[in-house]
Amino acid sequence: MKLKELEVYRMSMPLVESFSNSQMTVKTRVFDLVKLTTSTGMSGWGETVAFETPWYTTETLESCRYSIEHYLWPLIRGKDVASPKELVQLFSRVKGHQMAQAAIETAFWGIYSQDKKVPLNRMIGSVNDEVAVGVSLGLDTAENLLRKVAEVVDKGYTRVKIKIKPGQDIETIRLIREKFPDLKLMVDANGAYSMADAELLARLDDYHLEMIEQPLGDDDFINHATLQKQLQTKICLDENIHSLEDVKVAFALGSARAINLKWGRVGGITKALEIIAYCQAHNLEVWCGGMFESGVGRAYNLALASLSGMEFPGDISESSRYWREDIVKQPQKLHQGKLTVSEGVGAGFEIDSQAVQKYCLKKERFI
C-alpha cells in the first residue's frame, strides 16, 4: 500500500462539561485529526491525543504536529508499506514522540483492515462483540460526586473512577463507598502524592477499591514499588508507561499490579498489543484507558478493550458523555453497561464530514 497523502485537521470540540484532575482542567478538547491516503484511494483516520500543555506528558499538541510534518511523514511518504509492523519499523528512527506516531499508526490500521476486508477488532485477534466500560469522574465536591456517581450507575456503568488529590480524597471516598457498597470503585491521583503521604494512601485500603491509579510521580518506579508493598490495594501505573520496556521495569520492581494502557501514549496499536501480551503472560492486570478521544480514537480503544483478557472496564464511556456532537456517524452508545464493537470492515466508524468541517480550525495537506 503506497502512502500518497496526509491531511491534518486542527479540531476544537467543547466538552459537555469541564473535567478536572490534580494537574489541569479541560473545557475544550483541541487535537489534530489525521487522514492517511494510499495511491489507490483508500483512507484511514487517526487522532493525536496529546493535550495543548505538557501537564500530562512531555508531548503536546504542537510537538505532535511538528513531529508529524517534519519527521514521521517524510519517513513514510511515497513508501509501499505492507503492514502496521512495517510502518512501526520505519518510525523506529524517531526517539519518543509516541503520540505523534500513534496518530498515523492507527490511521494505517484503518487502511490495513479495509484492505484485508476484516473488522479491526478481528484483525487484532478479538472474538468479542461487546465491551464492558467504566466512567471517570473529575475533581468535584463530595456532594456533586455523590450525585454524579448515582447518575452513571443508573445509566448502567459498572465501574467508576474518581479523581483525587491531597485534601480531596479519604472523606469523599468514604461517602461514596457508604452509599455504593458494591460498586467497582477506584481512584486516580495523576501523581499528586509523595511517599510522605504513604500512611494516608494506606487508609484507602479500608474502602475495598479496585486499584489506586498513579499515586506518585510519572517517572518514579522505585517509590511506587515501595508503596505497593505497604498497600493491600493494587497500584495501577498510567503516566509511567510509554513503552513495553516501562512495563517490564514496573513488573521487575513490583511497582504496580495493574497497567492503564493508552495506545496513544505507547505509540499505537502494534505496541499496545505487545504490552497486552506481556502483561497477560506475567499476570499483570491490563486495561484500556482514555484520553477524551473523539469517536475516531474511541473506536481504537474499543477494539483493544474487546480483546480477551481485557475484561476490566476501561475509561471509554459512550460518546455523549463527552460530546454533544461527535465527528463519526455512529457515535458509541451505552447499552446495559456495555458498548458494541462495530463489525464493519475497517476501523469501525464512518467520518461525519460536516461535523469535521464544523469543528475544524484549519486544515493542511502533505503529499
Side-chain angles (χ1 to χ4, degrees), residues 87-106:
L87 184 82
V88 170
Q89 289 172 344
L90 289 170
F91 283 163
S92 63
R93 289 181 59 192
V94 176
K95 308 304 179 186
H97 299 273
Q98 288 93 336
M99 291 180 174
Q101 293 188 44
I104 298 177
E105 193 260 9
T106 48

Side-chain angles (χ1 to χ4, degrees), residues 23-24 49-67 95-100 218-219 238-242 246 264-266 291:
Q23 305 297 331
M24 61 184 178
V49 296
F51 293 103
E52 294 175 87
T53 57
W55 309 145
Y56 177 73
T57 65
T58 56
E59 286 186 86
T60 65
L61 176 63
E62 288 304 327
S63 74
C64 286
R65 172 64 183 73
Y66 189 89
S67 179
K95 308 304 179 186
H97 299 273
Q98 288 93 336
M99 291 180 174
D218 62 2
D219 58 355
D238 178 8
E239 286 93 328
N240 281 66
I241 306 302
H242 299 89
D246 287 338
R265 201 185 50 239
V266 302
M291 293 280 290

Side-chain angles (χ1 to χ4, degrees), residues 197-248:
D197 301 303
E199 185 176 338
L200 180 147
L201 293 169
R203 290 170 57 195
L204 290 170
D205 284 341
D206 295 337
Y207 302 103
H208 309 292
L209 303 176
E210 297 294 316
M211 56 190 73
I212 301 172
E213 187 176 332
Q214 199 66 43
L216 309 178
D218 62 2
D219 58 355
D220 192 341
F221 289 93
I222 293 175
N223 280 324
H224 271 115
T226 301
L227 181 62
Q228 180 66 94
K229 292 182 177 69
Q230 299 175 23
L231 304 180
Q232 296 174 24
T233 308
K234 290 179 185 177
I235 288 178
C236 173
L237 289 184
D238 178 8
E239 286 93 328
N240 281 66
I241 306 302
H242 299 89
S243 67
L244 175 59
E245 293 307 311
D246 287 338
V247 177
K248 290 179 177 179

